[in-house]
Amino acid sequence: WLITAGTNAGVIREVGKALHNYRYKNRKHALDVPCIGIGSWKHTAGTEQLNGISKIVLDVALEKENRSMSASRQNTIEAIHMNIADEYIVRSYHSKQSEKGRWNLEPNHTHFLLFDGGSCTAEEVLLQRTEIEQHLRKINTTLITTDILTPIVMILVEGGVLSIRAVCQALETNVPLVVVKESGRAADLVADLYAHFNQIEIERTDSERRFLNKERNSDASHKEIRLNAIFQKHRAENGSWLDQVKDRLCRIMQQRRQLITIFKFDSERHHGNLEDAILEAL
């Protein structure tokens, strides 16, 4: 399963392209990876077209769910079979002109959940998405007597304020996080903060080894200066929203730092293999 915001922009668009390439390579077997876009109805462009095909989309979604359950029973969890015609349902949707504050849906997703009414604000959608992700962890374990959950991992590539809030939500619910360093913006901020808090832990361990259990005021001041320097460095690229998330992000990263894995494509640690970083995070 892949879960995104479903918009046809930025990193999510690249995810869609990767899915398209995967389907092309596996077209003989008609294999597909379920990819769910979770977003807001009022922020989706061209919704009048979606109203027109809602019944078709619902029928396709139910059919895919049945196929997915069948595939699960056969222990095939990495892909499902799909009808060739299915992929054209969302592809037939197209917003001809840009609408302020609205985004096109990425056409390579297999499913979309678009919230309307009082639950369609960015914050509410984020909370709904977190709850859905937690529920998905339990879907395939209903017949198992143990409390083993389906493993999930969040991957942070670039991103903005909503990505940071999603990261906080994930870490608070003990979801591992893989950060693609040098992908820009939010990802680079989290990577720098991770290095900062790691350094603090190293310094604290060294102090304890030397029986210096009391932190000096000068040390605390120095750490605060370094932390502020990190946010100042990223403020030019990200804007003032950093101030909105600073306290929460720092607190959660200090508490759940062990859930974070930093991935860098040219690093020898993972040899440029993102799958290795995901396995390490799990």
Side-chain angles (χ1 to χ4, degrees):
W1 297 73
L2 294 174
I3 298 178
T4 77
T7 55
N8 193 21
V11 173
I12 300 172
R13 178 184 293 164
E14 299 305 314
V15 171
K17 290 179 181 178
L19 284 169
H20 176 71
N21 292 336
Y22 172 83
R23 290 171 187 146
Y24 178 78
K25 291 179 180 178
N26 293 277
R27 62 191 183 282
K28 290 183 179 179
H29 306 289
L31 293 177
D32 196 11
V33 175
C35 185
I36 305 172
I38 300 179
S40 166
W41 178 265
K42 77 172 185 178
H43 292 135
T44 300
T47 51
E48 67 282 352
Q49 300 173 62
L50 300 178
N51 277 327
I53 62 171
S54 58
K55 184 179 185 302
I56 300 176
V57 173
L58 179 60
D59 291 342
V60 170
L62 290 173
E63 184 180 350
K64 285 183 177 179
E65 183 178 355
N66 290 334
R67 288 199 303 272
S68 179
M69 292 177 65
S70 175
S72 177
R73 286 193 293 269
Q74 298 171 10
N75 295 322
T76 306
I77 60 173
E78 71 281 0
I80 62 172
H81 286 272
M82 66 179 292
N83 292 332
I84 298 301
D86 289 358
E87 63 177 308
Y88 295 104
I89 296 298
V90 179
R91 288 176 184 274
S92 65
Y93 148 90
H94 177 67
S95 180
K96 297 181 180 179
Q97 58 183 13
S98 60
E99 303 176 40
K100 186 176 181 180
R102 292 173 177 259
W103 299 90
N104 290 341
L105 297 179
E106 201 292 313
N108 292 292
H109 284 58
T110 57
H111 303 75
F112 288 93
L113 292 175
L114 302 177
F115 291 93
D116 198 5
S119 61
C120 65
T121 65
E123 290 289 344
E124 287 294 328
V125 170
L126 187 59
L127 290 174
Q128 296 279 4
R129 173 177 163 178
T130 301
E131 291 184 16
I132 290 169
E133 290 169 347
Q134 292 302 312
H135 179 70
L136 286 175
R137 302 185 74 179
K138 305 174 184 177
I139 282 182
N140 293 324
T141 61
T142 53
L143 300 179
I144 301 176
T145 56
T146 61
D147 294 328
I148 298 175
L149 298 176
T150 301
I152 62 174
V153 61
M154 173 176 282
I155 302 175
L156 177 61
V157 184
E158 198 202 33
V161 60
L162 288 181
S163 297
I164 291 295
R165 288 172 178 163
V167 163
C168 292
Q169 288 285 122
L171 294 176
E172 284 176 339
T173 53
N174 292 318
V175 173
L177 171 69
V178 174
V179 180
V180 180
K181 188 177 181 179
E182 297 184 355
S183 61
R185 302 181 65 201
D188 288 352
L189 169 64
V190 173
D192 285 350
L193 288 175
Y194 178 84
H196 170 70
F197 291 122
N198 255 359
Q199 184 61 35
I200 289 178
E201 181 63 22
I202 292 172
E203 293 171 356
R204 185 186 66 81
T205 303
D206 288 344
S207 295
E208 290 178 350
R209 191 177 295 120
R210 298 189 184 97
F211 305 100
L212 300 176
N213 295 321
K214 292 185 178 181
E215 183 180 51
R216 293 177 298 178
N217 291 334
S218 58
D219 291 338
S221 176
H222 180 60
K223 292 172 185 176
E224 186 67 23
I225 291 173
R226 285 189 300 178
L227 182 63
N228 289 333
I230 291 173
F231 278 91
Q232 185 61 36
K233 167 188 171 183
H234 290 276
R235 189 168 280 107
E237 186 178 12
N238 291 284
S240 60
W241 61 260
L242 288 181
D243 299 326
Q244 304 171 20
V245 300
K246 177 181 177 180
D247 292 341
R248 183 186 181 192
L249 178 61
C250 290
R251 173 177 54 81
I252 293 173
M253 287 193 64
Q254 284 180 301
Q255 296 173 350
R256 308 292 170 90
R257 183 170 45 86
Q258 72 279 4
L259 293 173
I260 302 174
T261 300
I262 305 299
F263 172 78
K264 191 177 176 183
F265 278 101
D266 59 357
S267 171
E268 294 183 0
R269 180 175 181 179
H270 302 110
H271 306 287
N273 194 335
L274 181 59
E275 289 86 350
D276 288 350
I278 293 173
L279 288 174
E280 179 183 322
L282 294 173

